[in-house]
């Protein structure tokens, strides 16, 4: 075990993956004496699957983590070797920043963040058990018998709990390729009597880039004007590279079809449910049988690394079949496989056993975050890590919890979805999951969340100063736009076409017109010329959505009112005679934290909600 300076902490985080790093950093930022305990130092910040951060919905989560001064966005910016804003042609609400990352740099920068964070100590060792005080978790026990005491523990063990790797008909225990499974801890979790299930995910073979014929492949470059994740990042850190594009073809599909019975998934070796939105190539060939070709992105894994990640062909077929089908694709005729693709099955905990802090209701002192909660993806993991780490710190320090709402963030949407609805397949974020997505944009994540982060004690001085200065600039611009009223005639004279409807408009309203920028308004309010480009762009985005947001705000306020009606954890639903047995059992299992959450339970009726509300009112 790594040298322990002390063995008494406020918070211990188990696991140095994406959930664990943001959990530990958040706990320490919030002021808790924190330890991050993970299997090995080299495992910190490892990307088990694709070398990329962000994307649609996921990019929103990274921006929100960053707005709360978390680490994922800053590290991804430092490691980025190709940045692309997805959905660039659509509105800002559904655009998603994405970066291809240099794996080695990502790991190195994440390790640096963990080892340089005040109040955070990194320890290595395998956690096999918990220290219990009555029914409360009060620390962890390592494989060598050493103990680390804590007031709260956050478990972020990813795919490691009783992990089982499958390549064709070969199966063996493993947390991911090259790592042991956490079997003892898996059994220990079972001992709590928690609702556990099995899920699965897969990854493609890794290719030797030197053996790819890049010259005949289509090239996909990054954006000319890269959009970074962090509100603090100022520019690129690394040289930028292009990806290659190839396609599967009928020969590829024939090889896969002929060998389906040898696939771990189709050969009946795997019980767990896989991610619908990240299907294996076997899945694609079977489910979309009429499609003759699928696109495959060839993504370099780093600047000093020839390994290439072929995005779109994850598999659990045997190695010889992987070799054949990969070589059937254009540009890959002579390709060498460096590491075979594989599938992994692992235990997860039904997240309905958690409350909105991501704390287990029936095991006080224990929080869960990341893949262990049935999600998939680095970003979903990191965002949960932040919630669990922050709230574990708050509990340890005797402070109020910090709850995220569907109305303030994608983080709130995810936590609510998980804890209310549970998962039937690995959960990933989409913009369509957020009903208030016009206001929950990636571009305004700081405006939505940095004040909340400041109040929670999560935000450091540098970000706070940068945020205050930015808001001052936006405020100054907004004041000019609000204070200047113009007539249609003035607008037409300034070259902004509008019907002669006699309506007076503020320049802020005019800024919402299609194809209108702050620069277009300078003839009407010359002081606007003093605003920097970033402020001008942000004002335009805010103006564009202002009317929609106004409409959404009424709905959001109604929801917030219901969220404010807390339901005590020990609320006795059995006392409510008018409730059906089915609803009672759902309510008892989910135990919603507030009326809004109760309302989202499948089958819930307005009458049942009214019953619950009237009982809460009477009990108060
Ligand atoms: P991880 O990143 O797995 O981190 C877990 C950490 O816990 C590790 O550092 C490990 O060392 C540590 N640990 C485990 N047990 C112990 C213990 N007992 N004691 C101490 N430390 C411990 N995501 C997608 O979005 N799309 C995909 O297609 C996809 N495919 C995947 C394919 C494979 C084969 C794998 C393994 C993962 C895949 N993922 C995919 C998932 C992605 O890797 C995870 O969602 C993400 O890494 C989860 O983060 P996490 O922090 O929860 O866990």
């Amino acid at each position: 075990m790594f040298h322990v300076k002390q063995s008494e902490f406020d918070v211990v985080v188990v696991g140095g993956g994406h959930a664990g790093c943001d959990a530990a950093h958040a706990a320490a930022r919030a002021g808790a004496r924190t330890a991050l305990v993970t299997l090995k130092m080299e495992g910190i910040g490892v990307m088990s699957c694709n070398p990329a951060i962000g994307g649609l919905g996921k990019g929103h989560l990274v921006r929100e983590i960053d707005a709360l001064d978390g680490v994922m966005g800053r590290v991804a910016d430092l490691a980025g070797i190709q940045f692309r804003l997805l959905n660039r042609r659509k509105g800002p609400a559904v655009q998603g920043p994405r970066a291809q990352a240099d794996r080695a740099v990502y790991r190195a920068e994440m390790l640096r963040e963990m080892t340089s964070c005040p109040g955070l100590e990194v320890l290595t060792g395998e956690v096999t058990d918990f220290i219990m005080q009555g029914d409360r978790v009060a620390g962890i026990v390592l494989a060598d018998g050493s103990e680390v005491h804590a007031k709260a523990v956050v478990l972020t063990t990813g795919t490691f709990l009783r992990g089982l790797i499958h390549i064709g008909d070969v199966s063996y225990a493993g947390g991911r390729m090259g790592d042991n499974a956490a079997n003892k801890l898996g059994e220990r979790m079972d001992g709590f009597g928690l609702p556990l299930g099995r899920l699965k995910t897969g990854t493609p073979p890794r290719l030797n880039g030197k053996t790819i014929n890049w010259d005949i492949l289509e090239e996909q470059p990054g954006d000319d004007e890269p959009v970074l994740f962090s509100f603090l990042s100022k520019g690129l850190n690394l040289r930028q590279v292009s990806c290659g594009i190839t396609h599967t073809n009928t020969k590829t599909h024939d090889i896969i079809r002929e060998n389906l019975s040898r696939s771990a998934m189709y050969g009946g070796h795997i019980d767990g449910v896989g991610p619908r939105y990240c299907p294996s190539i076997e899945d694609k060939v079977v489910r979309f049988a009429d499609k003759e070709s699928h696109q495959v992105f060839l993504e370099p894994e780093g600047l000093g690394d020839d390994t290439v990640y072929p995005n779109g062909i994850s598999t659990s077929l045997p190695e010889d079949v992987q070799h054949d089908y990969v070589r059937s694709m254009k540009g890959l005729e002579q390709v060498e496989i460096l590491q075979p693709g594989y599938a992994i099955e692992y235990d997860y905990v039904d997240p309905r056993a958690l409350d909105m802090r991501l704390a287990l209701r029936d095991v006080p002192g224990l929080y869960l975050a990341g893949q262990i909660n049935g999600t998939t993806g680095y970003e979903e993991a990191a965002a949960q890590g932040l919630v669990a780490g922050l709230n574990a710190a708050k509990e340890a320090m005797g402070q109020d919890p910090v709850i995220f709402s569907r109305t303030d963030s994608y983080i709130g949407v995810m936590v609510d979805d998980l804890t209310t609805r549970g998962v039937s397949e690995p959960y990933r974020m989409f913009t369509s999951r957020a009903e208030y997505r016009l206001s929950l944009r990636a571009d305004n994540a700081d405006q939505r969340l940095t004040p909340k982060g400041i109040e929670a004690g999560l935000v450091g001085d540098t970000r706070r100063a940068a945020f205050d200065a930015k808001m001052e600039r936006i405020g100054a611009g907004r004041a000019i736009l609000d204070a200047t009223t113009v007539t249609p005639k003035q607008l037409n004279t300034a070259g902004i076409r509008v019907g002669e409807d006699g309506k007076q408009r503020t320049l802020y309203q005019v800024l919402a017109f299609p194809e209108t920028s702050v620069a277009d308004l300078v003839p009407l309010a010359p002081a606007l010329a003093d605003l920097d480009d970033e402020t001008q762009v942000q004002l335009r985005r805010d103006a564009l959505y202002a009317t929609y947001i106004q409409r959404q705000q009424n709905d959001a306020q109604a929801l917030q009112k219901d969220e404010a009606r807390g339901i005590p954890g020990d609320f006795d639903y059995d006392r409510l005679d008018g409730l059906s047995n089915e609803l009672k059992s759902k309510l008892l299992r989910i135990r919603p934290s507030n009326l809004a959450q109760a309302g989202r339970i499948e089958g819930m009726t307005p009458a049942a909600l009214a019953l619950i509300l009237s009982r809460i009112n009477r009990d108060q």
Side-chain angles (χ1 to χ4, degrees), residues 13-73:
V13 175
V14 182
H18 306 278
C21 288
D22 258 298
H25 208 270
R29 288 202 308 283
R33 288 166 308 136
T34 306
L36 173 62
V37 186
T38 194
L39 288 174
K40 46 190 186 192
M41 279 302 204
E42 315 83 82
I44 289 185
V46 163
M47 297 172 157
S48 313
C49 197
N50 59 329
I53 298 287
L56 301 176
K58 289 166 174 274
H60 285 71
L61 286 172
V62 183
R63 278 286 174 85
E64 291 182 355
I65 293 166
D66 185 70
L68 295 159
D69 221 2
V71 282
M72 179 171 258

Side-chain angles (χ1 to χ4, degrees), residues 14-20 37-39 43 46 48-49 58 125-127 156-160 175-176 182 185 201-203 278 342 344 369-372 376-378 381:
V14 182
H18 306 278
V37 186
T38 194
L39 288 174
V46 163
S48 313
C49 197
K58 289 166 174 274
E126 183 193 348
V127 174
T156 69
T157 46
T159 49
F160 285 64
R176 67 182 160 217
L185 194 58
T201 186
T203 197
C278 241
Y342 64 97
I344 185 162
Q371 195 106 356
I372 191 174
T376 174
Y378 310 135

Side-chain angles (χ1 to χ4, degrees), residues 25 60-61 167-168 187 246 252 264 274-275 288 290 356 364 383 387 435 445 477:
H25 208 270
H60 285 71
L61 286 172
I167 306 175
E187 278 156 30
T246 186
T252 324
F288 312 109
D290 51 334
M356 296 285 283
V387 173
E435 41 292 73

